[in-house]
Amino acid sequence: MKKKVVLGLMVGTLTLGIGTGALAATGLEPIKAYLNSKISLKLNGTTVTAKDANGKTVLPITYNGTTYLPVRAVGTLLGTEITYDSVTSSVNIDSNNGSVPPSETGKLTLSSLGTAALGTSDWHTKDPAETAYKGKDYKDVYLHTDTAKQGKSFQVMTQKKYAKLHLDLAVLGGSQKIEIMDENNTTLKTVSLAPEDGLIGVEVDVASTDFIFVEIVDEAPGSSLFVPLTTSYLTKK
């Protein structure tokens, strides 16, 4: 029989010396559960590690045949913001973060695909000081600045599994010319961007590609490229 896996909030407390009445007042009930290191997490087929806000690995908990996962750590892997309101004792799950609505089936945001599509990149940031554009926080973005040693391009793994790639792009501080190329360095699309253009959407046919490069081929001094990963997505075939 398959075990049920529940996205639950792992909450720890020091119960030693706390009486039954005190526990009742906090809403906590003591149970006997087990940290389960044998369960691995896979995101779109890629093994991932759940970590807390301090970067420490956290494990699933098994209790009465049900496995509970740390909601904040899993939310981070999925590009979903998880917050806790201590006033109302409620866990808030922002399912979209401004991304493609779940009802739009077949579309997978680059943020939700994570390293399965993006690998690792110096462009990647979730720093709230860098993820906002025109007053909207996109939570998870690629950001290139000409003052950082980041290289001029980023890569998206497509592996011939998707029909189209939709990228939202904006430039800050100066104009840029962008080329989108396949693994054979064949240019699929060229885009010229200026700050006054705002955030624009670009679609590329990626059905026959294993991966694509998005490269800055020309840029004005002081310009930056902003790519929100919560609104950029791949469409399944």
Side-chain angles (χ1 to χ4, degrees), residues 127-139 141 172 226:
D127 184 345
E130 298 180 321
T131 56
Y133 176 72
K134 291 192 173 181
K136 181 175 180 178
D137 189 355
Y138 288 89
K139 309 292 184 180
V141 308
L172 315 172
F226 183 91

Side-chain angles (χ1 to χ4, degrees), residues 49-58 70 72-74 76-77:
T49 301
K51 296 184 179 181
D52 63 16
N54 297 316
K56 182 180 178 181
T57 299
V58 289
R72 178 168 286 167
V74 173
T76 298
L77 292 171

Side-chain angles (χ1 to χ4, degrees), residues 11-153:
V11 180
T13 185
L14 182 62
T15 60
L16 185 62
I18 299 178
T20 303
L23 279 173
T26 64
L28 298 175
E29 180 181 346
I31 61 172
K32 186 176 182 180
Y34 302 90
L35 291 172
N36 197 334
S37 61
K38 290 187 177 181
I39 292 180
S40 62
L41 301 180
K42 290 189 176 182
L43 180 63
N44 300 305
T46 300
T47 300
V48 293
T49 301
K51 296 184 179 181
D52 63 16
N54 297 316
K56 182 180 178 181
T57 299
V58 289
L59 297 174
I61 282 179
T62 296
Y63 170 65
N64 277 353
T66 298
T67 297
Y68 295 84
L69 304 178
V71 66
R72 178 168 286 167
V74 173
T76 298
L77 292 171
L78 297 175
T80 298
E81 183 178 17
I82 308 293
T83 57
Y84 178 69
D85 187 338
S86 60
V87 176
T88 60
S89 297
S90 58
V91 177
N92 303 311
I93 302 174
D94 184 356
S95 62
N96 290 333
N97 282 348
S99 63
V100 179
S103 59
E104 296 189 33
T105 57
K107 295 181 180 180
L108 300 172
T109 67
L110 298 187
S111 180
S112 68
L113 288 169
T115 56
L118 302 173
T120 58
S121 173
D122 291 336
W123 288 44
H124 200 182
T125 180
K126 293 184 180 181
D127 184 345
E130 298 180 321
T131 56
Y133 176 72
K134 291 192 173 181
K136 181 175 180 178
D137 189 355
Y138 288 89
K139 309 292 184 180
D140 189 9
V141 308
Y142 268 178
L143 178 67
H144 178 274
T145 62
D146 62 357
T147 58
K149 296 179 180 179
Q150 299 170 298
K152 297 283 188 180
S153 66

Side-chain angles (χ1 to χ4, degrees), residues 185-233:
N185 291 323
T186 299
T187 300
L188 304 176
K189 188 155 290 189
T190 301
V191 183
S192 294
L193 297 170
E196 58 269 24
D197 295 332
L199 192 67
I200 69 167
V202 177
E203 289 204 348
V204 184
D205 186 342
V206 296
S208 60
T209 66
D210 283 316
F211 54 87
I212 64 99
F213 291 104
V214 179
E215 184 171 354
I216 301 170
V217 294
D218 191 23
E219 60 183 331
S223 66
S224 302
L225 180 62
F226 183 91
V227 186
L229 302 178
T230 48
T231 59
S232 297
Y233 56 86

